[in-house]
Amino acid sequence: MNTNDFSVRIKTYIKKNENRIIQDLADLVAQPSISSTSEGVEQCCHWIVERMDKIGLNPTVYPIKPHPTIVGKIGNDPKKKTVLIYAHYDVQPRGKLEEWKTPPFEPTIVNGIMYGRGTADNKGPLMAHLNAIEFWLKEYGELPVNIKTIFEGSEESNSEGLPEFLRDNQELLKADLVYFCDGSKNHNDQPIIALGVKGMLYVELILTTMKRNVHSQYAPVLPSAAWELVRLLNQLCSENGVVNIPGFYDDIVEPTEQEREIYRSLPDVRNNIYDSYGTYPIYPEEEGYYLHLNGTPSFNISGLSSGYTGKGTATVLTSEASCKIDMRLVEHQDGNKILKNLKQYICDLGYKNVTVICHGNTPAAKTPVDTPWLEPIKEATREVFGKYMIYPNRPSTAPDYLWSNILGIPTIQVRWCDATSDNHAPNEHLTLSNYLHGMELTATVLKKVAEMK
């Protein structure tokens, strides 16, 4: 296959087909696919299958519970490398409709930006992958690599059912590299090449003191659930962010010198963060922003609830208080071990009135930065986007462990959606130029991987 004219052909193809490529994304975003409620997920799966059929990806739907997974495949040439492309087609709920500028499932383009639930997370990248594959088949008649795709419908619900499917179908999904795009650029508008993710342990604490709420006149003599929960949280995590759960830090492996060097080379984004959030980041000066962000486990209070929550005022002494906590864990931290220690520690502190509910436990995962598969992806990203950044480990959580831990395949992600894409929030959006560049990137990655010695 002669690909000397690749650069010209991919740009010409995108320009010629731009309206159709954008309409593909609009049509997919218009189809709800909320995994937490199952709304529209089956219909969205059917839409994607039809699109894959037209391309020639030979899709097979596997009825994983609660939501199906779609596997596609083109090519079985032993002389070619095999790339497994991952994406998810489920999305987060709408959220507060009054905070949306446009209806979440009526994709709207304003000043070159498409607004709608799922535009960035993760339907934009999914459609970019499909259109990149279609480009190769239409322009060259074949792909430079063997392609397998896997699109799941439960990523926003902790990829429920997928780990078991992968363990039972390792030969089906055997590949040299897993490539995917799910996330935003850095705050300086550079794409991020990421080789690992933090895990996450998500728990809910429910503390009960009495049978029911009472008038706050009894505050001097009866216990307040709200105050007891506040005191408990203060003992679980100190003011300086140190987590006090026994054994929390025991299994952490320090970053390698090569990883530290990568983090030290990354640009200063303090002013960019201030412009986005109205505050500067806080971190130990000796660690630096990137190492602290990506290499430090966290203990975050996602929500607190107790007592009267309506409009106006009410004097209530609360009988129950609850909070939700997400703990982002780095490589080698064991969520099961931490959960067990958390429950025991709460009891040891004397809180016999607390129920601990686990809502999710996703392991951390990491592909070493010296993997040979990094170089072709760096080259492709440089050609398409220009400057880029490398995260040996990124601060968010995604199901990378499915590929690197269960299937044992090197896994690399490129995050190219808008830095301010508002994933999971009202007014989620994707700049169309990023979307089109994302398609070009996938097509280029396949070429660069095929050319590896």
Side-chain angles (χ1 to χ4, degrees):
M1 184 191 305
N2 186 346
T3 59
N4 291 335
D5 59 349
F6 170 82
S7 181
V8 172
R9 287 177 77 165
I10 181 65
K11 288 177 171 57
T12 302
Y13 180 89
I14 291 175
K15 185 175 182 180
K16 179 181 177 181
N17 295 278
E18 180 175 332
N19 291 337
R20 194 264 303 164
I21 294 169
I22 292 171
Q23 188 60 49
D24 279 345
L25 177 57
D27 291 344
L28 184 54
V29 171
Q31 173 56 58
S33 53
I34 304 171
S35 57
S36 60
T37 63
S38 299
E39 180 188 349
V41 176
E42 291 283 349
Q43 294 90 331
C44 189
C45 174
H46 180 70
W47 188 97
I48 294 169
V49 167
E50 285 191 339
R51 187 73 182 86
M52 292 172 69
D53 259 330
K54 291 179 181 178
I55 294 173
L57 260 167
N58 305 310
T60 301
V61 178
Y62 291 88
I64 297 173
K65 299 297 182 182
H67 304 302
T69 287
I70 314 163
V71 175
K73 183 179 178 182
I74 297 179
N76 190 31
D77 187 343
K79 296 179 182 179
K80 292 181 177 180
K81 300 173 182 70
T82 299
V83 178
L84 175 61
I85 294 178
Y86 163 77
H88 66 91
Y89 63 90
D90 64 316
V91 300
Q92 284 282 320
R94 295 170 176 81
K96 295 181 179 180
L97 291 177
E98 64 272 17
E99 295 182 8
W100 282 85
K101 297 176 182 177
T102 60
F105 292 114
E106 295 180 19
T108 305
I109 298 174
V110 180
N111 296 325
I113 302 171
M114 184 182 293
Y115 291 84
R117 175 60 82 224
T119 46
D121 187 18
N122 183 236
K123 291 179 176 179
L126 189 157
M127 281 310 312
H129 297 320
L130 289 182
N131 278 303
I133 293 169
E134 187 174 42
F135 155 77
W136 275 104
L137 294 174
K138 284 190 172 182
E139 290 292 308
Y140 291 96
E142 63 175 310
L143 287 154
V145 296
N146 302 314
I147 280 288
K148 296 179 182 179
T149 60
I150 180 166
F151 303 144
E152 70 158 313
S154 296
E155 193 272 349
E156 304 291 3
S157 299
N158 205 37
S159 296
E160 191 176 353
L162 192 56
E164 295 78 13
F165 173 77
L166 297 182
R167 291 188 182 99
D168 294 339
N169 293 275
Q170 297 204 23
E171 189 61 33
L172 172 70
L173 299 167
K174 187 176 180 180
D176 296 301
L177 169 72
V178 174
Y179 174 74
F180 72 108
C181 304
D182 185 0
S184 303
K185 293 180 178 180
N186 196 41
H187 285 85
N188 62 355
D189 201 41
Q190 290 182 13
I192 299 170
I193 302 174
L195 293 98
V197 292
K198 290 182 179 180
M200 183 172 67
L201 175 63
Y202 198 112
V203 300
E204 182 177 5
L205 308 183
I206 303 174
L207 186 150
T208 306
T209 54
M210 302 180 291
K211 292 181 178 179
R212 57 183 175 84
N213 292 345
V214 298
H215 195 289
S216 64
Q217 65 181 323
Y218 293 106
V221 295
L222 292 178
S224 163
W227 272 115
E228 283 200 16
L229 181 60
V230 169
R231 295 186 186 103
L232 170 60
L233 291 172
N234 194 49
Q235 294 179 82
L236 295 179
C237 186
S238 303
E239 185 178 354
N240 59 1
V242 174
V243 181
N244 298 320
I245 301 169
F248 186 80
Y249 297 100
D250 285 356
D251 302 319
I252 295 177
V253 176
E254 290 295 314
T256 65
E257 184 54 38
Q258 186 178 4
E259 292 171 349
R260 291 178 183 275
E261 185 60 36
I262 290 172
Y263 286 131
R264 284 194 289 264
S265 71
L266 300 180
D268 187 349
V269 291
R270 285 174 294 183
N271 290 334
N272 302 87
I273 289 176
Y274 182 84
D275 291 341
S276 294
Y277 305 125
T279 187
Y280 287 102
I282 303 168
Y283 52 88
E285 199 65 35
E286 65 275 11
E287 284 192 11
Y289 168 76
Y290 291 103
L291 179 57
H292 194 66
L293 173 68
N294 297 320
T296 304
S298 62
F299 185 96
N300 177 61
I301 300 171
S302 302
L304 282 167
S305 178
S306 185
Y308 181 71
T309 58
K311 294 182 179 179
T313 60
T315 53
V316 175
L317 183 64
T318 61
S319 61
E320 182 177 287
S322 65
C323 69
K324 293 181 178 179
I325 300 166
D326 62 81
M327 289 170 267
R328 303 280 176 173
L329 309 177
V330 297
E331 189 183 21
H332 296 301
Q333 281 186 296
D334 185 341
N336 291 319
K337 174 182 174 181
I338 291 171
L339 177 62
K340 179 181 177 181
N341 290 350
L342 169 66
K343 292 178 178 179
Q344 185 61 52
Y345 186 50
I346 290 173
C347 288
D348 292 345
L349 291 172
Y351 291 88
K352 310 297 183 183
N353 56 341
V354 175
T355 300
V356 180
I357 302 171
C358 179
H359 290 295
N361 183 9
T362 303
K366 207 171 183 181
T367 294
V369 293
D370 59 2
T371 175
W373 301 101
L374 178 58
E375 195 58 37
I377 292 178
K378 285 166 54 178
E379 291 178 8
T381 306
R382 185 185 303 113
E383 287 186 10
V384 175
F385 284 98
K387 292 183 178 180
Y388 62 88
M389 303 173 65
I390 296 176
Y391 274 9
N393 196 70
R394 68 184 191 272
S396 57
T397 301
D400 291 36
Y401 79 97
L402 297 172
W403 327 114
S404 55
N405 296 9
I406 295 179
L407 295 183
I409 305 174
T411 302
I412 301 179
Q413 175 202 47
V414 182
R415 302 162 62 88
W416 48 254
C417 293
D418 301 17
T420 58
S421 57
D422 290 326
N423 292 1
H424 296 199
N427 304 305
E428 181 181 349
H429 60 274
L430 178 61
T431 300
L432 295 176
S433 60
N434 280 331
Y435 169 54
L436 297 173
H437 278 122
M439 173 192 161
E440 182 181 354
L441 177 64
T442 297
T444 308
V445 164
L446 300 183
K447 175 179 180 291
K448 296 293 183 180
V449 168
E451 293 171 348
M452 283 179 65
K453 300 299 183 184

